[in-house]
């Protein structure tokens, strides 16, 4: 298995080719987690010439997808052969893994409207979603009494 990285603005494209099996699970995991540890929140995993993809080899994909989801980030997979995409969907991971036909589609999905996306749902940019509450102001939810 060969792994290479390319940074395109805030997106890191990790290109994988070869055999993704139990022997490759460790290096793939290390390469993907290293990107998250450096603060990357948008990762495109591009499969090129991947001839084998099995359950043992996908551990890194699952862990990084969960890490990014917890950080309001996103991982998308592109270039997977139909049989590999079907395999990943068959192991009940469609809630974590999002597939695109190619790199351009993955990057376009991550950059549309400046929004972040987690598991298919779109979030407002943080500056629009979170507004500071002035000191001394107490919020009250309708129907709930504050003591």
């Amino acid at each position: 298995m060969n792994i290479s990285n390319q940074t395109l603005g805030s997106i890191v494209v990790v290109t994988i080719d070869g055999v993704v099996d139990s022997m490759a699970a460790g290096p793939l995991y290390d390469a993907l987690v290293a990107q998250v540890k450096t603060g990357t929140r948008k990762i495109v995993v591009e499969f090129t010439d991947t001839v084998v993809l099995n359950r043992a080899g996908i551990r890194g994909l699952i862990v990084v997808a969960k890490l990014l989801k917890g950080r309001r980030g996103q991982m998308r997979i592109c270039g997977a052969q139909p049989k590999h995409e079907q395999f990943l969907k068959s192991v009940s991971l469609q809630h974590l893994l999002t597939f695109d036909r190619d790199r351009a589609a993955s990057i376009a999905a991550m950059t549309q409207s400046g929004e972040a996306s987690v598991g298919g749902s779109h979030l407002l940019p943080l500056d629009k979603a979170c507004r500071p509450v002035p000191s001394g102001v107490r919020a009250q939810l309708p129907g709930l009494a504050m003591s």
Side-chain angles (χ1 to χ4, degrees):
M1 178 187 68
N2 296 309
I3 302 173
S4 62
N5 299 327
Q6 181 182 11
T7 302
L8 303 170
S10 64
I11 300 171
V12 173
V13 178
V14 179
T15 303
I16 301 166
D17 64 37
V19 176
V20 183
D21 60 5
S22 60
M23 296 295 290
L28 177 58
Y29 173 88
D30 292 342
L32 292 172
V33 170
Q35 292 300 323
V36 176
K37 285 183 177 179
T38 63
T40 300
R41 290 183 39 207
K42 295 180 180 180
I43 297 176
V44 173
V45 176
E46 180 179 40
F47 287 104
T48 61
D49 299 325
T50 301
V51 293
V52 174
L53 179 65
N54 65 25
R55 187 176 294 265
I58 63 173
R59 177 176 165 254
L61 297 176
I62 297 165
V63 170
V64 169
K66 287 181 178 182
L67 286 172
L68 288 171
K69 189 172 183 177
R71 290 174 169 80
R72 294 188 173 219
Q74 178 180 182
M75 181 177 79
R76 298 182 80 90
I77 297 173
C78 67
Q81 294 177 18
K83 66 180 181 180
H84 296 143
E85 184 175 336
Q86 188 59 38
F87 166 71
L88 290 169
K89 288 179 179 178
S90 74
V91 292
S92 300
L93 297 173
Q94 51 273 48
H95 66 286
L96 284 176
L97 305 176
T98 304
F99 298 89
D100 297 300
R101 66 185 176 283
D102 56 31
R103 178 191 288 210
S106 290
I107 291 170
M110 286 185 168
T111 57
Q112 69 182 12
S113 306
E115 295 177 345
S117 176
V118 178
S121 63
H122 293 282
L123 303 170
L124 289 173
L126 287 178
D127 63 331
K128 292 182 181 178
C130 302
R131 301 239 189 266
V133 177
S135 62
V137 174
R138 297 179 76 190
Q140 184 169 354
L141 296 173
L144 295 177
M146 304 254 333
S147 53

